[in-house]
Amino acid sequence: HLNLANAVIVPITAVQTSGNENYVFAISNGTASTVKIDVLAESGTNAAVEGVSSGTRVIVNPPPGLLVGSAVTTSQSGNTNG
């Protein structure tokens, strides 16, 4: 039985894996940062995760080599979560 009450829905393409840990790249003050998450469930193109706050802007399809602290800009795709 999964408790999804506190889960945040993010695009599955935002979820990254390193070893046994999952994380997302988030945008904080115009730079990339990582936030460790736990994936609770996946459905289609979305994942229910814990560890990131609702309203946090995550980077979908982050480019290879993206580093923490890299300057990032946002674009409006018309697809918002939270």
Side-chain angles (χ1 to χ4, degrees), residues 35-61:
V35 179
K36 185 179 176 215
I37 59 166
D38 291 315
V39 177
L40 302 177
E42 296 177 18
S43 179
T45 60
N46 293 315
V49 303
E50 280 186 335
V52 66
S53 301
S54 178
T56 299
R57 299 190 80 160
V58 298
I59 300 174
V60 179
N61 294 318

Side-chain angles (χ1 to χ4, degrees), residues 8-31:
V8 174
I9 305 300
V10 299
I12 194 74
T13 54
V15 177
Q16 306 296 303
T17 303
S18 177
N20 293 328
E21 294 188 343
N22 293 313
Y23 64 95
V24 293
F25 279 103
I27 301 170
S28 177
N29 297 319
T31 61

